[in-house]
Amino acid sequence: MDEGIKITNYSDIILSCFSNDATSYQPMVREHWLVYLLSGEMEINEAGKTVRLHKDDCAFIRKDNRVSFQKLPLNGEQFKAIWLKFPRNF
């Protein structure tokens, strides 16, 4: 796990707060996710299509999919987002 990242998991409701540094990764998304941006920006690239989220934006990320995320602080604020994970048995 990257240094400076704080992740809290409450029954598959994930709150992730990042430092002032940009972070990017490319996970294989195994379950549906819903992300709500509290601050900062996030760029999501899925199958060549790029979507940029800003504060108060929300996005649905479908399961069984390789996605590229770039999480960016903005205007001196940390990147902060709430992630809701929907397991297959949900």
Side-chain angles (χ1 to χ4, degrees), residues 25 27-37 42-46 51 53 58-69 71 81-86:
Y25 63 102
M28 180 64 177
V29 177
R30 299 283 180 202
E31 296 154 330
H32 293 304
W33 286 84
L34 185 66
V35 59
Y36 174 77
L37 234 57
M42 181 166 61
E43 191 172 278
I44 303 170
N45 188 311
E46 175 189 4
V51 175
L53 302 179
C58 189
F60 182 79
I61 297 136
R62 63 186 177 91
K63 69 179 180 178
D64 298 329
N65 193 12
R66 173 119 4 233
V67 180
S68 172
F69 297 102
K71 301 172 181 181
I82 297 174
W83 298 79
L84 301 173
K85 180 170 94 172
F86 299 100

